Amino acid sequence: MRIHLNHLNMIYPTGKQALKDISLMLESPSLIGLVGPNGAGKSTLMKLLVAGLLPTGGEITVDGVPLPKYEKTLKGKLGYLPQDFGLYDELTIWEFLDYMAALKGIRDSGKAIERAIAATGLEEKKKARIRTLSGGQRQRVGIAQALLGEPEFLIFDEPTVGLDPEERIRFRNFFSQTAQDKLVLLSTHIIEDVQSVCDRLIVIDRGKILFTGRPEELILRARGHVGVLLEQAGDGKESALHIISRVNTAEGVLCRGVAEVLPQEARSVEPTLEDAYLYLITQEGKTQ
Ligand code: ADP
């Protein structure tokens, strides 16, 4: 599957321009992380991809066919977990998935439900009512419904929100396994979610794409722009850095931060993906 976004623009009826001239190619198999601060335009982009919204400019084509013409076919190939996904508390997991399978028009739904339940590790809970589940289990039910019918294209909007660290790790492993033969788009504002699993990153802020490429390429860009220095009371040297973290050490408070030009007192360190992401966002912020 090959999805082409061609000069997409989205202006809401309020006049808010949520996306500005977005051009991208998404191809399977891959696990793509869509990262950006809250309000960057991630959900809007995902809603356009599932044809839940129509762009005010530009077009999306799927395997060369314009999305409005392809919409019916795409529905059968698409699994979507929206950010504000509602579950029916009084249904059991099985009943809920059965209902979702009927909405998707899936034949032989029993097998499809079993597969989705197995893939999300919910076998022991399938007869439990949804209201009795933990946050992580509820999120797994949301993912299970997206997996119904073995879709080729999966979109997960902030799937790790509200999960504890252990569950987040579980989910990351799950995503990298799922993406082996599919196109998976994973939106998040938590950079650790994409760090080890995504083969491609799209960084978006204020409706514009700031970066698209491999995570290592983003890290390379930040080399020489990430440093640490000891905060000396009152000298204000750390103000030359955009501070990412402060750690108490025996020598004093060690500040880690990014800057276009590191202050002389700072020791340059190897960037993490989070440093590189923050460097990109802060640099763009200055030019706007
Ligand atoms: P993200 O998912 O990255 O948090 P969104 O796509 O939800 O970002 O929002 C992008 C921008 O568009 C924000 O400024 C948001 O307030 C605005 N926005 C989102 N939905 C609507 C809407 N239905 N009407 C007007 N503005 C909207």
Side-chain angles (χ1 to χ4, degrees):
M1 184 176 268
R2 182 182 252 240
I3 300 175
H4 191 200
L5 287 68
N6 203 4
H7 298 289
L8 273 194
N9 278 288
M10 181 65 208
I11 304 174
Y12 282 108
T14 54
K16 171 77 196 175
Q17 183 157 17
L19 295 176
K20 298 170 191 160
D21 199 29
I22 302 275
S23 291
L24 279 174
M25 181 72 94
L26 313 174
E27 265 179 292
S28 58
S30 57
L31 174 49
I32 303 170
L34 179 62
V35 204
N38 285 328
K42 304 183 295 296
S43 292
T44 303
L45 185 59
M46 295 193 151
K47 285 178 193 159
L48 292 174
L49 280 169
V50 301
L53 271 179
L54 284 178
T56 49
E59 69 162 3
I60 300 177
T61 60
V62 184
D63 293 334
V65 181
L67 185 56
K69 284 192 187 151
Y70 197 89
E71 201 185 326
K72 248 187 155 170
T73 322
L74 184 69
K75 287 256 149 78
K77 295 185 175 186
L78 179 76
Y80 178 40
L81 174 66
Q83 204 169 348
D84 42 12
F85 186 69
L87 294 170
Y88 295 88
D89 275 355
E90 291 311 317
L91 297 184
T92 65
I93 292 181
W94 179 280
E95 286 166 346
F96 174 71
L97 292 177
D98 194 31
Y99 171 65
M100 294 306 287
L103 286 185
K104 286 189 175 187
I106 294 170
R107 285 193 218 122
D108 202 3
S109 62
K111 276 192 191 145
I113 295 168
E114 285 296 350
R115 272 200 296 269
I117 284 180
T120 46
L122 288 166
E123 292 97 330
E124 284 172 18
K125 288 277 173 189
K126 64 184 176 189
K127 290 188 182 147
R129 287 200 194 282
I130 286 172
R131 73 175 141 78
T132 65
L133 303 179
S134 70
Q137 288 165 342
R138 293 173 76 93
Q139 201 63 327
R140 272 192 260 163
V141 178
I143 291 179
Q145 67 75 31
L147 292 175
L148 285 170
E150 313 270 312
E152 285 173 49
F153 182 27
L154 282 160
I155 296 189
F156 297 116
D157 198 352
E158 299 274 3
T160 60
V161 161
L163 300 184
D164 62 37
E166 210 177 304
E167 281 172 333
R168 292 232 306 269
I169 293 169
R170 217 189 118 108
F171 268 83
R172 279 179 223 151
N173 294 336
F174 167 78
F175 291 128
S176 55
Q177 276 166 14
T178 309
Q180 276 168 6
D181 55 351
K182 295 185 171 61
L183 176 56
V184 180
L185 189 61
L186 177 74
S187 122
T188 181
H189 65 282
I190 303 167
I191 200 86
E192 292 110 305
D193 282 348
V194 293
Q195 183 132 18
S196 50
V197 293
C198 291
D199 42 32
R200 188 170 160 210
L201 273 188
I202 299 168
V203 182
I204 173 172
D205 191 16
R206 296 174 227 200
K208 288 206 289 192
I209 291 181
L210 306 187
F211 172 84
T212 163
R214 302 183 64 79
E216 309 86 89
E217 291 168 41
L218 185 61
I219 290 176
L220 268 182
R221 283 195 188 189
R223 276 225 175 120
H225 300 288
V226 184
V228 291
L229 61 74
L230 273 177
E231 194 176 53
Q232 310 277 352
D235 75 353
K237 293 272 167 38
E238 72 283 358
S239 64
L241 286 178
H242 183 92
I243 302 290
I244 293 170
S245 68
R246 283 190 159 84
V247 181
N248 285 318
T249 67
E251 287 80 41
V253 179
L254 191 65
C255 299
R256 183 184 185 100
V258 294
E260 176 61 21
V261 181
L262 290 177
Q264 262 185 354
E265 298 74 14
R267 178 168 56 84
S268 179
V269 291
E270 191 58 25
T272 62
L273 188 61
E274 186 173 21
D275 296 330
Y277 167 72
L278 287 167
Y279 176 62
L280 182 75
I281 299 272
T282 54
Q283 287 309 104
E284 279 300 313
K286 278 186 204 159
T287 60
Q288 291 192 4

